[in-house]
Amino acid sequence: MNTTEMPVQSAQTLIKSTLAAGVLAAIMLATVILPAEYNIDPTGIGSALGLTELNSQEQEIAVPEVVQRGEQSFAYRTDTTTIEVPAGRGIEYKFQLDKYGHLEYEWVTESGELYFDFHGEPTGDTTGYFESFAIATANKMSGSLTTPFDGSHGWYWKNNGQESVKITLKTKGFYEVIGLKQ
Amino acid sequence: MLNSLKTVFGLMTLIAGMVISIPLFAHGVDDATKTFLAGNEGVSIIPFLYIGAKHMVTGYDHLLFLVGVIFFLYRSKDVLIYVSFFTLGHSLTLLFGVLNDTHVNAYLIDAIIGLSIVYKGFDNLGGFKRVFGFQPNTKAAVLIFGLFHGFGLATKLQEFKLSSDGLVENILAFNVGVEIGQFVALLFILLAINYWRRFDSFLRFSTMTNTLLMSGGLMLVGYQMTGYFVG
């Protein structure tokens, strides 16, 4: 018993069935399956049905996002300055940066350590709010900052020693120098 | 004539919709299972049994092929014989594939599995008798396609770098799980088809059902071949 008892269709039925199967498969592939599975959408119906979303999202996640910089109004620049903090006094040195602005910095004292608060204050804020990025006592610091908001960013240094301390500060990035405050 | 065509297309769309509403499972293995498989060391019979069974119950391409195979089998003895041939085929290649570390492109294998469904649908319409004047050995066909299905299973299992510790036991457990899953799925399909056979509509709609089977197979072929060229 090699064969099963299946009815043999007429040639006409066979052709009709085969064609119908092919046409249906082609339609489903073009309008639904390929848009949903591969984001290939030759007819535009897939995206109209929202099916292309299934795979376009996946691609968005897969590609690492470039940091959002937005509009930057300041040009790229590099600076080196020397700042003197008198004995027993505190001073502030600031830069104006846009939101998501970038600042690379490196500072070192000639001798001795300073207490500092590296922070930013939002532009237009009148409540006295500021955000500290780092608070420590050290004789040097280096790193980079991508600002969380538009405003003045920089250091408050306090010299608790008996002698004045000189700082050499090197910066590069997209900013404007405000300089010494107070 | 026009009315029956309308019915046919309506039903086709309905079934096609059912078929493609689950392609996200396709043959994939979900994330939790993936984590388990990648981290597994040593013999874990029950989990591999379960994964194998789940794979079969949710693997609609195997199920479509089974529907095609048992569509015109009226006696349970015949069902048993044919399913045994299919099982023999895919057990051989599953074991051989994993143990021998044979890598076959998953898209191509899955496209062939799609073709096996098209083949069976066409066969059920008496297409080979009508077009070529003879009936290819149906048992041999089931065995050969079983071999391809097994390679598909092997390829899926190999995607996770399975630990060689307890590998043979685990593959055997997976294979037994596949049989259990196939058996469970088959029970439901048989119940449905046997019930349907009692009505006149069975023969009236058999042409349509097998046309749909062919169409589903073609969709799988198109889906997998596109993946082969794009992915």
Side-chain angles (χ1 to χ4, degrees):
Chain A
M1 195 202 77
N2 237 345
T3 54
T4 48
E5 307 150 34
M6 52 183 82
V8 177
Q9 305 293 336
S10 70
Q12 203 199 2
T13 308
L14 209 55
I15 293 169
K16 237 193 266 169
S17 295
T18 309
L19 281 179
V23 169
L24 177 66
I27 293 173
M28 295 312 284
L29 279 166
T31 58
V32 179
I33 300 174
L34 297 188
E37 297 293 333
Y38 304 113
N39 201 12
I40 298 172
D41 192 16
T43 61
I45 293 172
S47 76
L49 295 173
L51 287 168
T52 47
E53 293 291 312
L54 290 173
N55 267 288
S56 55
Q57 268 174 359
E58 200 172 272
Q59 279 163 356
E60 270 169 35
I61 293 164
V63 177
E65 265 193 52
V66 177
V67 173
Q68 242 286 313
R69 287 249 178 263
E71 286 275 305
Q72 295 293 314
S73 49
F74 304 117
Y76 180 82
R77 60 186 285 174
T78 58
D79 292 281
T80 303
T81 53
T82 313
I83 303 151
E84 193 172 335
V85 190
R89 294 265 313 271
I91 59 137
E92 220 178 19
Y93 195 89
K94 304 293 280 281
F95 300 91
Q96 183 68 34
L97 280 96
D98 287 329
K99 190 175 185 183
Y100 305 136
H102 191 68
L103 174 75
E104 284 175 52
Y105 56 83
E106 184 185 343
W107 61 257
V108 59
T109 64
E110 211 164 63
S111 63
E113 291 188 326
L114 291 171
Y115 166 86
F116 72 86
D117 184 339
F118 181 35
H119 65 277
E121 290 162 73
T123 297
D125 182 86
T126 52
T127 63
Y129 168 81
F130 64 92
E131 184 171 327
S132 290
F133 311 125
I135 302 172
T137 301
N139 66 347
K140 64 181 175 193
M141 181 192 196
S142 63
S144 71
L145 169 74
T146 299
T147 58
F149 45 74
D150 161 36
S152 68
H153 298 81
W155 290 265
Y156 166 78
W157 282 288
K158 177 96 197 288
N159 183 355
N160 293 321
Q162 305 299 313
E163 312 264 325
S164 74
V165 175
K166 259 190 192 162
I167 304 166
T168 307
L169 171 65
K170 291 178 186 171
T171 50
K172 52 185 177 182
F174 302 87
Y175 57 83
E176 188 176 61
V177 178
I178 297 172
L180 278 178
K181 274 184 157 182
Q182 290 170 10
Chain B
M1 182 66 202
L2 193 67
N3 251 338
S4 68
L5 263 183
K6 261 190 194 163
T7 322
V8 167
F9 273 102
L11 274 164
M12 274 176 145
T13 320
L14 182 73
I15 297 183
M18 282 157 58
V19 170
I20 50 169
S21 62
I22 39 171
L24 291 177
F25 289 119
H27 242 153
V29 180
D30 58 75
D31 285 344
T33 311
K34 245 179 229 176
T35 314
F36 168 79
L37 285 175
N40 181 66
E41 297 260 344
V43 180
S44 325
I45 303 290
I46 301 296
F48 273 88
L49 268 179
Y50 177 76
I51 296 165
K54 182 177 167 185
H55 190 80
M56 270 325 256
V57 175
T58 56
Y60 55 83
D61 47 356
H62 292 297
L63 300 182
L64 280 180
F65 185 65
L66 279 177
V67 169
V69 168
I70 65 168
F71 199 81
F72 284 117
L73 296 180
Y74 294 94
R75 294 183 304 175
S76 38
K77 195 185 123 212
D78 291 336
V79 173
L80 207 66
I81 290 172
Y82 277 85
V83 169
S84 301
F85 270 103
F86 186 54
T87 300
L88 176 68
H90 74 229
S91 301
L92 282 176
T93 40
L94 169 60
L95 290 172
F96 173 81
V98 179
L99 293 179
N100 214 32
D101 206 21
T102 311
H103 286 276
V104 192
N105 186 287
Y107 288 118
L108 292 182
I109 281 290
D110 285 342
I112 292 172
I113 292 174
L115 275 181
S116 73
I117 299 165
V118 180
Y119 173 94
K120 201 55 209 167
F122 191 70
D123 194 28
N124 283 350
L125 291 172
F128 292 100
K129 259 187 222 160
R130 174 67 63 196
V131 177
F132 304 106
F134 83 107
Q135 173 64 49
N137 188 315
T138 44
K139 284 182 193 126
V142 166
L143 179 69
I144 291 167
F145 282 124
L147 292 172
F148 281 111
H149 282 240
F151 263 126
L153 293 168
T155 310
K156 291 291 155 9
L157 259 190
Q158 282 169 332
E159 281 170 15
F160 325 99
K161 310 246 179 296
L162 294 176
S163 162
S164 58
D165 184 16
L167 184 62
V168 177
E169 290 89 338
N170 289 339
I171 299 170
L172 286 174
F174 179 81
N175 200 35
V176 173
V178 164
E179 302 321 324
I180 295 171
Q182 180 174 308
F183 180 75
V184 170
L186 203 60
L187 271 183
F188 284 103
I189 296 171
L190 267 176
L191 276 175
I193 288 187
N194 279 338
Y195 180 74
W196 191 16
R197 281 209 182 105
R198 297 199 267 150
F199 300 93
D200 294 342
S201 65
F202 178 72
L203 279 181
R204 254 194 290 129
F205 281 99
S206 76
T207 310
M208 192 189 78
T209 311
N210 284 292
T211 302
L212 279 179
L213 213 56
M214 282 172 71
S215 194
L218 286 172
M219 286 177 209
L220 283 171
V221 173
Y223 166 45
Q224 297 297 342
M225 287 315 286
T226 308
Y228 178 70
F229 288 113
V230 175

